[in-house]
Amino acid sequence: MTAQTADGSNSILVTGGAGFIGSNFVLRYVADGGRVTVLDLLTYAGNRENLAELEGNPRFRFVQGDICDANLVSALVREVRPQAIVHFAAESHVDRSIVDPGAFIHTNVQGTFTLLEQAKTYWSQLGDVERGNFRFLHVSTDEVYGSLKPEDPAFSELTPYAPNSPYAASKAGSDHLVRAYFHTYGLPTLTTNCSNNYGPFQFPEKLIPLVLLNALDGKPLPVYGDGKNVRDWLYVGDHCSAICRVLESGQPGETYNIGGNSERANLDVVETICSLLDEMKPDSSIGDRRKLIQFVPDRPGHDRRYAIDASRIKRELDWQPKVTFEEGLRRTVKWYLEHMQWVDHVRTGAYRDWIRQNYEERVAQ
Ligand code: NAD
Ligand code: TYD
């Protein structure tokens, strides 16, 4: 970001910064010279190990806490005095939302409401320059638009909302609240609706890391339904660059769709991962990894196709994805192969002990 606070610190508050996309964003933002305070509850999806390289960096601070805790959020924004709040924190997995929708309503709707309220109070008390520079950037998803038929045009910013899963409905609710805070109170909000991300640090419950790690071990690769559901895949680094661009130059009150121009059927994605692993990590005891594919009963209410029309952000903010799906997937496979300790910590749950091992024991020495 170019704009700075009065003390020149260009300090931002990032919620959910220990999750998949949030941690990629924070690593990049700090590397670019920014100052970040992360607020993250460290649910099962939050992993402080993702941010390990920033420990000790004076431009980075981590606060463990809940975005639903109004007192905590209020105290933190008054202390940090951020020029922007970038809001990633959410329950993010569709399958979990089918089993336990309440957690999604709590964090995604109530949590976003709490943040908006505290942001509004803080922002309304700023001086003119800081109030003009302040931004609340809400990171959302293309799933709010529902499901496309094969011949339908891709989702644009004008596509009506039609969420189908509890996850999508909770994100749609949060998007509407963000919109209302701009229209009613003038809070300078920005909303991004992005397609499916993949890349380093993704928790292995989502399709790509789940299949990658199962295939590595010769375990079954579960494909829901007929495997022909289509997603538009975007490399996480490209998503982060888009968020930076929107933060810098987006029009308050507006929404921007972000996508990878990479529609792929799930079965194609799974087969490509198999081919990459057969090439990069051949295992004679496993052989051709495509044999591991197993069709399993479909997800209830499974959206058939997502596709993003990202022409607005290209036209108005000169952003477009740089990494092709083939290149991004190769990078991702390489990253997981080179970070098996991270994988082991996630699988065994040891990542939750990492804070104690790395910090509490360090302090005790
Ligand atoms: P993630 O599940 O990997 O990370 C979520 C993070 O939020 C975790 O660190 C978790 O600890 C934290 N969190 C959860 N509840 C919290 C609470 N109550 N208070 C504070 N922190 C809390 O998610 P992700 O895939 O990185 O997604 C980040 C954001 O991007 C989400 O808002 C999601 O809806 C959106 N999004 C994700 C994708 C995708 O493909 N993953 C695509 C488009 C948009
Ligand atoms: P996912 O990564 O959960 O993202 P989303 O549901 O937000 O799009 O799933 C991507 C696609 O892969 C989706 O169509 C569901 C499908 N899928 C499988 O076929 N098998 C699996 O084990 C998982 C987790 C997902």
Side-chain angles (χ1 to χ4, degrees):
M1 269 189 92
T2 46
Q4 295 191 335
T5 43
D7 69 355
S9 62
N10 72 337
S11 169
I12 63 170
L13 177 66
V14 175
T15 72
F20 161 48
I21 306 173
S23 59
N24 276 281
F25 176 82
V26 169
L27 291 171
R28 176 196 180 102
Y29 196 86
V30 175
D32 287 349
R35 183 177 293 274
V36 175
T37 299
V38 167
L39 172 62
D40 195 300
L41 186 56
L42 295 180
T43 66
Y44 79 92
N47 184 346
R48 216 171 139 179
E49 224 171 310
N50 298 358
L51 299 168
E53 72 179 67
L54 298 180
E55 296 303 338
N57 186 320
R59 285 185 286 105
F60 168 73
R61 178 179 166 207
F62 185 86
V63 176
Q64 183 172 3
D66 192 339
I67 57 165
C68 300
D69 181 341
N71 291 333
L72 170 70
V73 175
S74 163
L76 197 59
V77 287
R78 277 186 282 115
E79 188 191 329
V80 173
R81 299 186 61 76
Q83 77 174 94
I85 296 175
V86 184
H87 176 34
F88 293 94
E91 290 292 339
S92 69
H93 188 37
V94 173
D95 292 319
R96 286 182 193 258
S97 82
I98 294 168
V99 176
D100 180 16
F104 287 70
I105 305 306
H106 184 66
T107 290
N108 300 359
V109 181
Q110 185 69 33
T112 302
F113 164 68
T114 305
L115 275 180
L116 285 165
E117 269 295 287
Q118 298 313 320
K120 171 167 75 75
T121 304
Y122 161 73
W123 164 78
S124 63
Q125 292 165 1
L126 292 173
D128 286 349
V129 174
E130 286 176 308
R131 201 163 63 238
N133 285 340
F134 182 79
R135 298 287 183 271
F136 183 102
L137 192 154
H138 174 59
V139 180
S140 193
T141 169
D142 60 356
E143 307 200 19
V144 298
Y145 298 121
S147 185
L148 293 169
K149 296 195 177 65
E151 66 280 10
D152 284 342
F155 302 130
S156 80
E157 291 80 359
L158 299 176
T159 304
Y161 273 34
N164 290 321
S165 70
Y167 164 65
S170 67
K171 291 296 290 188
S174 65
D175 292 9
H176 291 325
L177 284 169
V178 171
R179 176 188 163 91
Y181 271 68
F182 172 75
H183 282 276
T184 306
Y185 307 111
L187 184 71
T189 61
L190 298 158
T191 297
T192 55
N193 293 90
C194 186
S195 61
N196 285 62
N197 283 217
Y198 65 100
F201 299 118
Q202 188 166 29
F203 194 81
E205 63 183 354
K206 306 278 167 67
L207 179 71
I208 287 181
L210 180 122
V211 162
L212 199 166
L213 297 178
N214 279 13
L216 195 59
D217 288 351
K219 291 182 186 159
L221 311 179
V223 172
Y224 298 165
D226 61 5
K228 292 188 180 148
N229 299 67
V230 170
R231 298 294 182 262
D232 173 3
W233 294 96
L234 180 70
Y235 189 66
V236 66
D238 276 333
H239 187 186
C240 293
S241 74
I243 291 171
C244 288
R245 189 66 57 85
V246 172
L247 199 52
E248 208 171 87
S249 311
Q251 276 298 315
E254 294 299 336
T255 70
Y256 297 89
N257 280 2
I258 302 169
N261 300 322
S262 294
E263 284 186 58
R264 297 286 185 283
N266 291 339
L267 190 56
D268 293 342
V269 172
V270 172
E271 288 182 342
T272 309
I273 295 169
C274 291
S275 307
L276 281 169
L277 275 175
D278 287 349
E279 175 204 320
M280 294 163 80
K281 194 80 178 171
D283 186 330
S284 57
S285 69
I286 298 173
D288 177 357
R289 287 182 165 97
R290 282 187 186 78
K291 287 189 317 233
L292 302 170
I293 292 172
Q294 280 189 7
F295 290 93
V296 299
D298 210 352
R299 169 190 280 172
H302 195 177
D303 285 337
R304 193 62 171 168
R305 173 178 166 237
Y306 301 146
I308 280 276
D309 172 351
S311 55
R312 178 181 196 183
I313 188 170
K314 182 175 182 197
R315 192 175 58 248
E316 295 183 11
L317 305 184
D318 192 26
W319 177 90
Q320 58 184 329
K322 288 209 171 86
V323 182
T324 64
F325 183 66
E326 286 62 34
E327 169 58 21
L329 202 53
R330 184 173 284 277
R331 277 192 210 175
T332 303
V333 171
K334 187 166 181 289
W335 186 88
Y336 278 87
L337 291 176
E338 288 171 353
H339 292 81
M340 286 312 290
Q341 195 184 12
W342 181 92
V343 171
D344 286 343
H345 287 177
V346 168
R347 279 176 163 166
T348 61
Y351 72 104
R352 290 174 166 274
D353 292 338
W354 186 81
I355 296 166
R356 185 179 51 73
Q357 285 164 10
N358 196 52
Y359 302 103
E360 291 169 21
E361 289 176 9
R362 190 180 291 220
V363 170
Q365 275 169 7

